[in-house]
Amino acid sequence: MDLEFIRGDIEQRRRQIARQRKEILDLQRAGISTKAAEELLARMLSKVDELCAERDRLVMESRHKYEGKDKFILGPQIRIGGKRS
């Protein structure tokens, strides 16, 4: 899966989770059982956790390491040099 696709999917699912939470509150106010809605919410949250883990794995794979070291380059690679004559 593409990193940008996963990020978009996570964003979309988080919006769905927000709507589901609102729906649960509405059901609670109406005095209707929310067990099924809460189970669905739990499944939605676990799927988002899986997608976040996949996103983090892809990000780690895309990072570059310093040559000969186990440290990752965290920022942009810029060379800062002095003046040349």
Side-chain angles (χ1 to χ4, degrees), residues 1-76:
M1 291 176 110
D2 182 45
L3 183 58
E4 292 304 314
F5 175 79
I6 291 177
R7 286 180 173 158
D9 199 17
I10 290 170
E11 185 178 325
Q12 177 186 6
R13 288 175 188 265
R14 285 183 175 161
R15 285 192 300 267
Q16 289 175 338
I17 287 170
R19 286 193 298 267
Q20 184 70 15
R21 285 185 172 141
K22 184 178 181 292
E23 185 177 316
I24 289 172
L25 287 174
D26 291 341
L27 290 172
Q28 287 173 342
R29 286 187 194 119
I32 301 171
S33 175
T34 59
K35 183 177 180 184
E38 289 172 352
E39 290 172 354
L40 175 61
L41 179 62
R43 289 193 304 270
M44 292 167 78
L45 289 169
S46 69
K47 182 62 180 177
V48 168
D49 289 341
E50 291 172 15
L51 287 169
C52 287
E54 177 69 13
R55 177 201 60 201
D56 294 344
R57 185 186 66 78
L58 289 172
V59 166
M60 286 300 291
E61 287 178 358
S62 68
R63 288 189 176 163
H64 300 287
K65 289 187 176 182
Y66 289 104
E67 290 182 32
K69 297 185 180 181
D70 288 333
K71 291 184 174 184
F72 289 104
I73 299 172
L74 299 177

